[in-house]
Amino acid sequence: VQLVESGGGLVQAGGSLRLSCAASGSIFSINVMGWYRQAPGKEREWVAGITIGGSTNYADSVKGRFTISRDNAKNTVYLQMNSLKPEDTAVYYCYVRIRAATYWGQGTQVTVSS
């Protein structure tokens, strides 16, 4: 399973970015797709997830600002990030869960300047 992320970058506080993650390979029966993030010196933190049926969940820190969505036909998950804050600065990793296994993307840097 390969996950290719895109969409990271540098943005000012209050701005927006949209991350994308496309899955390919042996990706039968993807259950959940989502995002984690890891800031410098901190542990990896779960951000948001979406099931194959479209149910979504968010970390409290991003609720109301981030929106996760997926295109099942393209095996792609998106993270629309609005009202970005400097504390959102991190490397963002997408993940997919297929049965009991979890696969990770390579990460994309998001930097929010104050």
Side-chain angles (χ1 to χ4, degrees):
V1 176
Q2 295 81 42
L3 301 177
V4 178
E5 300 154 346
S6 60
L10 173 64
V11 65
Q12 289 189 332
S16 299
L17 284 174
R18 188 191 194 211
L19 306 182
S20 300
C21 175
S24 61
S26 299
I27 51 174
F28 306 107
S29 301
I30 294 178
N31 298 323
V32 179
M33 304 182 79
W35 297 88
Y36 275 74
R37 67 186 180 185
Q38 188 166 20
K42 295 188 176 181
E43 293 186 354
R44 192 171 291 194
E45 170 192 31
W46 174 78
V47 175
I50 183 168
T51 69
I52 191 169
S55 296
T56 59
N57 280 291
Y58 299 92
D60 287 343
S61 58
V62 307
K63 203 170 293 185
R65 299 187 298 121
F66 290 9
T67 301
I68 190 170
S69 60
R70 65 189 283 177
D71 184 332
N72 290 333
K74 296 181 179 180
N75 293 308
T76 299
V77 62
Y78 306 95
L79 187 67
Q80 177 66 43
M81 305 185 293
N82 298 328
S83 302
L84 282 162
K85 304 175 181 180
E87 50 264 44
D88 294 317
T89 295
V91 177
Y92 283 71
Y93 298 90
C94 73
Y95 70 94
V96 298
R97 291 209 178 98
I98 301 174
R99 297 185 178 87
T102 301
Y103 301 88
W104 297 93
Q106 79 285 357
T108 185
Q109 177 70 46
V110 171
T111 302
V112 184
S113 63
S114 57

